[in-house]
């Protein structure tokens, strides 16, 4: 159909309306009304037609990427928003809004259409309390299963005591504290009960990997079923590091109080998080960013990406080599150099808080020449450092033996699971928001998107190493630009009012390319200076979802290597 | 304990001083590293029991030129006149000395040298705050580890769980009973010395499986199973490769294997390359080195422990004294592996060039096993771990064939050409 | 095989060149950038009790108590829960609160991390560096201080 016609797509930018009209035609009667967001057209549909509509949008209009599912509660209704994109053109967005009634918040699941909806809908059920009919395994995902109430619902009582009892300690005479009574529980605990059954079967063994395990990179719990040493099934159990980041953002003011916390989401590569928030709020409140600040942002973010990739490569090496490999320390050494540069620029080694709405907080440190020299020294040494990584890692035959062809994530599976970032690019998906949905100064610069077709652990490693090179290229161009920037035009912040109150009921979903994948932020304003709903779409969350298809049938060492190659940060997964 | 102590023990042992007094000193000094004093004694005692008989037999019929250590001690102490009892006491003292030397080296290697070496590879400094070069960290670590609570997991299979950590260092120490360490230090020199050393070293697998099974922990279980699979796959190539050396020497007696290697292989003016089997048959040397790494479970074959995969494998549940015993056992195993390398391929305690003969043989021997230790640590910093199935594959499909090919080839060369 | 040897050679090169990147803290005080955000320093003489820092603080780290006529009585800062965003310094119109480069502070209990204004005043400069100039060289002119030392006593 014409929607997939590439020429049509070219014209899409010119005649945006026609694209929306075509979508309206496609949906026909099923679109009850329009509820447009700032970033995309949004169609309101009935809760029992979700799969129908999404199938059409995926198969006929080409929206193969479910970027995010946002659930929220209004005074009069619940709402699930499916933010759809296309892998080949992430700027072509559409949102599907599914309102459900207060009394009976039941909505059809989107899981058969997009696998990634599985976890997103579990999160929506967990935090907001919408029941997804037909979901294969609707359980809490971030909070403990004994949790009472849904924290982001309007009537949630924060002071209610949460009594968490173990099943075997439950008093049969007392009321069951665990969440029950919803239709969801009919499906719950399938994997767990399955695990018990399998454990009884002498052929398999149930193994808890984590939450305290040397290779889980934080507090992650993998419920693993083994046949000998081969993984039959693995289910990540997350939420150990859940810190209510969304709620904290909802309590902070747009102007100052959200961005400092964004540094705590993905704390190995923080800069892109700040940009995700800044981009969403700037879109919401129509704030301009001076060009000079854009260059500073671009440069700082690429340094941030390097931080993440160095650590990712180092820890991946730890997972494959053993816990005393030299590579980890070499990676940390290079990371230290970047941290020193960023400390000079931002004043902090980890939680930078460099971004402000409408710009950045600081110009380059004085004396500028000294700092440029420091950066150039680092960039000049980087090729030899990367050469070392290649000697130690990518060219090592044993490592190739270990990683090539292991942890396979085929392109289609990656799309189904909503994988983004290096994980998607290592599966041959040529998508990078920096190029495809340009922001900052990226489209003015000369750099390449690193894509590999291997779909395996090795490809993911290579993509990261190549992205470090690309980041270096971007930084070099940025500092050249900054060096020649006329002194009188060095505006680091536009004029932003002290208090920002975006118009009532404005909604937007904006994403940036973080080190781990697409970092998206959905904001709905209610006319006050704090967001009414703040939803974080973390690349790590979706990438971790791909662990099960990647590691089924592999050995434990490959499961660990696959987990390492995903490069998840639990602060970002659990938020 | 430090190298200084080690040297003093040796000097005293070689000198004509009061040997008994020295032995006592050594024990007292060893309090720091002796970890479980009990265990050390038990191990030493066991080793002696096992070797005493051999020792006496060997000396009776032995054609060796050097006096075995027990006889030396017996002579020094004037125990000759006490018959079998005198021999027994002398053998016990000898075993005690050797065990202490090995444990001292382990104490230096484990908490200190390992850290320093790893730090060098990773551009760090490592322990440097307690004592000169941080050496007193050995004391601090011993105190720290021994003062920890010994946690017994629920459902542990008690006798097996307790025995496993004793078996591991014991088996490794036992292997040293037949190793000629130069300067006449050899507890026993039986005709089947080489076989005895391999047999003693393989007992360790039993300890690992016991630990893995008795811990009532799935990770331990996996570690135990992995270790047995790994040992099965690598013991055979190891022994077969060693057999190719035996074809050259025509004897299993350790001292003779060393003696055969003392002739020069090539003499080119001032340069003399001794006929160490590493030079005679470098292929077998590399094969043996790789199999040995697998045998002692070091990178890239440290899969029974594999911290990032199965936490710590068979030793996951062990703490305090038992953990120390495992730790000691592993390091003594590395040294036993090094000792076997030295005896079979590197001319035992011989200096590389005769000009360096003024340095005592024992020093050369220690240098050689430390070189092997250094190599294991180097691999740990730079070589990735292979997967268990790949390891088994390399073992059965690669190493075994190569080992046999090497054996046949050596047999042909020795039988036909020489 | 070549790859493995290359890797081993690389590590050996590092082992032999003897270079380390360890900072021997506390024997050597680490280099800290002028912009580094450490423990706060507060000057009661300069404070006009406008409460902007209290308002902007993302997690209620700063608590200000005034009397009925808006004269300041207490200025408490819970250094243990601060996230070092430097917003308080940023909004302060008179540079009454500053983040020094001092990152060394210890306490036995959480309560001891609640600094009152006296404790905040006594926070030492790190290596005697007053960070104000390096952060905002032209700010002194703007607030009318001009040349000369900023008095925090």
């Amino acid at each position: 159909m014409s929607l997939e016609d590439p020429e049509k797509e070219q014209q899409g930018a010119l005649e945006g309306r026609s694209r929306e009209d075509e979508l309206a035609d496609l949906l026909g009667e099923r679109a009850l009304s329009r509820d447009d967001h700032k970033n995309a057209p949004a169609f309101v549909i009935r809760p029992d037609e979700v799969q129908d509509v999404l199938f059409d949008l995926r198969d006929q209009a080409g929206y193969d990427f479910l970027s995010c599912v946002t659930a929220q509660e209004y005074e009069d209704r619940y709402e699930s928003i499916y933010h759809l994109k296309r892998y080949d053109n992430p700027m072509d967005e559409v949102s599907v809004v599914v309102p459900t009634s207060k009394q009976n918040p039941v909505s059809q699941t989107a899981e058969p259409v997009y696998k990634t909806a599985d976890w997103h809908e579990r999160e929506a059920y967990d935090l907001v309390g919408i029941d997804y009919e037909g979901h294969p395994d609707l359980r809490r995902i971030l909070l403990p299963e004994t949790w009472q109430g849904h924290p982001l619902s309007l009537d949630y009582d924060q002071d209610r005591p949460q009594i968490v009892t173990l099943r075997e300690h439950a008093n049969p005479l007392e009321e069951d504290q665990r969440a029950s009574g919803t239709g969801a529980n009919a499906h719950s605990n399938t994997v767990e009960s399955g695990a018990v059954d399998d454990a009884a079967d002498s052929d398999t063994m149930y193994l808890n990997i984590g939450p305290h395990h040397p290779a889980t990179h934080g507090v992650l719990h993998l419920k693993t079923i083994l046949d000998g040493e081969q993984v039959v099934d693995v289910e990540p159990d997350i939420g150990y590091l859940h810190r209510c980041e969304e709620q904290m953002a909802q309590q902070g003011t747009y102007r100052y109080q959200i961005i400092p916390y964004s540094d705590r989401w993905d704390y190995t590569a923080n800069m892109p998080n700040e940009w995700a928030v800044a981009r969403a709020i700037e879109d919401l409140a129509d704030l301009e960013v001076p060009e000079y600040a854009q260059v500073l942002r671009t440069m700082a973010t690429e340094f941030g990406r390097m931080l993440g990739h160095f650590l990712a490569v180092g820890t991946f090496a730890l997972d494959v080599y053993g816990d005393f490999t030299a590579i980890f320390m070499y990676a940390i050494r290079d990371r230290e150099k970047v941290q020193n540069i960023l400390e000079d620029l931002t004043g902090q080694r980890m939680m930078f808080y460099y971004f402000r709405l409408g710009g950045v907080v600081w110009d380059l440190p004085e004396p500028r020449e000294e700092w440029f020299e420091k950066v150039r020294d680092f960039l000049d040494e980087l090729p030899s450092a990367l050469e070392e990584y290649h000697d130690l890692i990518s060219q090592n035959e044993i490592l190739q033996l270990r990683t090539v062809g292991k942890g396979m994530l085929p392109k289609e599976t990656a799309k189904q699971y909503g994988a983004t970032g290096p994980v998607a690019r290592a599966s041959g998906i040529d998508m990078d928001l920096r190029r495809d949905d340009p922001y900052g100064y990226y489209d003015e610069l000369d750099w390449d998107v690193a894509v590999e077709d291997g779909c395996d652990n090795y490809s993911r490693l290579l993509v990261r190493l190549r992205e470090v090179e690309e980041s270096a290229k971007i930084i070099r161009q940025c500092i050249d630009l900054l060096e020649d920037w006329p002194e009188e035009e060095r505006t680091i912040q536009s004029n932003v009012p002290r208090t920002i109150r975006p118009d009532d009921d404005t909604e937007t979903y904006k994403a940036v390319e973080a080190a781990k994948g697409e970092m998206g932020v959905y904001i709905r304003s209610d006319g006050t200076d704090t967001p009414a709903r703040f939803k974080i779409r973390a690349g790590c969350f979706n990438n971790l979802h791909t662990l099960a298809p990647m590691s089924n049938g592999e050995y434990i060492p490959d499961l660990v290597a696959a987990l390492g190659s995903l490069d998840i940060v639990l602060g970002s997964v659990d938020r | 304990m430090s190298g200084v102590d080690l040297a003093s023990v040796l000097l005293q042992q070689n000198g004509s001083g009061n040997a008994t007094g020295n032995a006592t000193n050594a024990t007292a000094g060893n309090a720091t590293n002796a970890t479980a004093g009990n265990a050390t004694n038990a191990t030493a005692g066991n080793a002696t029991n096992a070797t005493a008989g051999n020792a006496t037999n060997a000396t009776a019929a032995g054609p060796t030129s050097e006096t075995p250590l027990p006889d030396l001690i017996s002579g020094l102490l004037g125990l000759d006149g006490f018959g079998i009892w005198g021999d027994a006491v002398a053998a016990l003292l000898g075993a005690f000395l050797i065990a202490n030397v090995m444990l001292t080296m382990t104490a230096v290697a484990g908490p200190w040298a390992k850290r320093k070496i790893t730090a060098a590879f990773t551009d760090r400094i490592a322990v440097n705050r307690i004592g000169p070069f941080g050496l007193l960290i050995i004391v601090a670590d011993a105190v720290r580890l021994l003062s920890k609570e010994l946690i017994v997991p629920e459902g542990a299979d008690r006798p097996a769980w307790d025995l496993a950590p004793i078996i591991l260092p014991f088996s490794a120490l036992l292997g040293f009973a037949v190793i000629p360490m130069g300067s006449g230090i050899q507890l026993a020199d039986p005709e089947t010395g080489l076989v005895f050393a391999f047999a003693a070293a393989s007992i360790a697998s039993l300890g690992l499986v016991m630990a893995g099974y008795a811990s009532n922990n799935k990770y331990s279980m996996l570690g135990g199973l992995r270790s047995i699979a790994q040992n099965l796959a690598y013991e055979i190539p190891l022994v077969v490769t060693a057999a190719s050396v035996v074809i050259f020497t025509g004897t299993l007696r350790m001292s003779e294997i060393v003696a055969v290697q003392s002739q020069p292989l090539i003499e080119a003016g001032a340069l003399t390359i001794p006929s160490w089997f590493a030079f005679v048959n470098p292929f077998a040397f590399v094969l043996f080195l790789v199999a040995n790494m697998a045998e002692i479970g070091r990178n890239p074959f440290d899969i029974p422990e594999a911290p990032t995969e199965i936490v710590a494998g068979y030793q996951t549940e062990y703490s305090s004294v038992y953990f120390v015993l495992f730790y000691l056992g592993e390091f003594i195993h590395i040294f036993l592996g090094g000792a076997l390398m030295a005896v079979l391929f590197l001319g035992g305690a011989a200096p590389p060039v005769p000009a360096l003969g003024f340095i005592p043989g024992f020093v050369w021997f220690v240098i050689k096993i430390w070189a092997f230790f250094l190599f294991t640590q180097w691999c740990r910093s730079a070589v990735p771990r292979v997967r268990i199935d790949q390891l088994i594959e390399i073992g059965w499909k690669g190493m075994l064939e190569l080992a046999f090919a090497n054996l046949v080839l050596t047999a042909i060369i020795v039988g036909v050409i020489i | 095989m070549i790859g493995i040897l290359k890797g081993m050679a690389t590590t050996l090169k590092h082992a032999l060149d003897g270079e380390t990147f360890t900072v021997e803290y506390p024997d050597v005080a680490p280099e800290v950038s002028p912009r580094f955000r450490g423990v706060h320093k507060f000057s009661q003489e300069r404070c006009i009790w406008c409460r902007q820092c209290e308002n902007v603080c993302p997690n209620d780290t700063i608590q200000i108590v005034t009397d009925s006529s808006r004269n300041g009585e207490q200025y408490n800062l819970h250094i243990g829960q601060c996230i070092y965003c430097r917003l308080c310094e940023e909004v302060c119109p008179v540079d009454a609160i500053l983040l020094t480069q001092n990152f060394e502070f210890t306490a036995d209990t959480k309560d001891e991390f609640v600094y009152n204004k006296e404790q905040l005043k006594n926070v030492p400069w790190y290596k005697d560096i007053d960070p104000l100039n390096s952060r905002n060289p032209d700010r002194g002119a703007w607030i009318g201080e001009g040349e000369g030392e900023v008095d925090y006593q």
Side-chain angles (χ1 to χ4, degrees), chain B residues 190-213:
Chain B
E191 286 195 34
T192 53
L194 187 61
V195 176
F196 176 83
F198 281 124
S202 346
I203 300 176
S205 315
L206 175 67
L208 302 189
V209 175
M210 276 164 81
Y213 181 77

Side-chain angles (χ1 to χ4, degrees), chain A residues 139-156:
Chain A
R139 280 175 297 133
R140 289 190 181 275
I141 188 166
L142 294 175
L143 304 178
E145 59 165 320
T146 56
W147 201 266
Q148 299 175 73
H150 302 279
L152 292 181
S153 60
L154 293 178
D155 59 350
Y156 180 69

Side-chain angles (χ1 to χ4, degrees), chain B residues 40 62-63 93 241 245 260 282 353:
Chain B
T40 321
L93 279 175
T241 315
V245 170
V260 169
V353 278

Side-chain angles (χ1 to χ4, degrees), chain A residues 256-257 261 264 330 333 343-348 351-353 356 362-364 388 395 397 498, chain C residues 1-4 6-7 10 14 21 33 35-37 52 55-57 59 83-87 90:
Chain A
Y256 289 118
Q257 296 181 347
Y261 279 108
R264 273 92 181 154
Y330 300 162
R333 171 203 64 195
E343 185 191 329
D344 287 347
L345 178 67
T346 69
Q348 207 67 293
M351 304 300 175
F352 307 110
Y353 191 28
R356 295 291 189 276
W362 266 316
D363 198 354
L364 300 177
E388 241 171 40
Q395 291 180 19
E397 287 86 356
R498 261 280 162 84
Chain C
M1 200 59 202
I2 290 161
I4 298 172
K6 260 186 175 175
T10 308
H14 276 271
F21 63 95
S33 302
R35 288 176 178 176
F36 185 81
R37 314 198 285 266
Q52 286 198 60
N55 280 328
V56 81
C57 183
N59 58 352
I83 63 169
Y84 301 94
C85 61
R86 205 190 66 102
L87 281 171
E90 206 173 309

Side-chain angles (χ1 to χ4, degrees), chain B residues 156-167 210 214 318 322:
Chain B
D157 195 347
R158 242 358 243 282
W161 194 75
D162 296 310
L163 278 175
I166 298 168
I167 287 178
M210 276 164 81
Y318 285 93
Y322 284 171

Side-chain angles (χ1 to χ4, degrees), chain A residues 206 208 213 229 326 330 401, chain B residues 121 218-219 226 309 381 390:
Chain A
Y206 178 73
N208 287 307
H213 184 280
E229 268 219 29
Y330 300 162
L401 203 65
Chain B
F121 283 121
K218 288 167 182 170
Y219 289 114
R226 280 182 175 197
E309 293 160 17
S381 295
Q390 291 168 342

Side-chain angles (χ1 to χ4, degrees), chain C residues 24 53 62 83 102 108-109 135:
Chain C
E24 289 190 79
C53 51
I62 300 171
I83 63 169
N102 193 353
D108 293 328
T109 64
R135 282 182 194 158

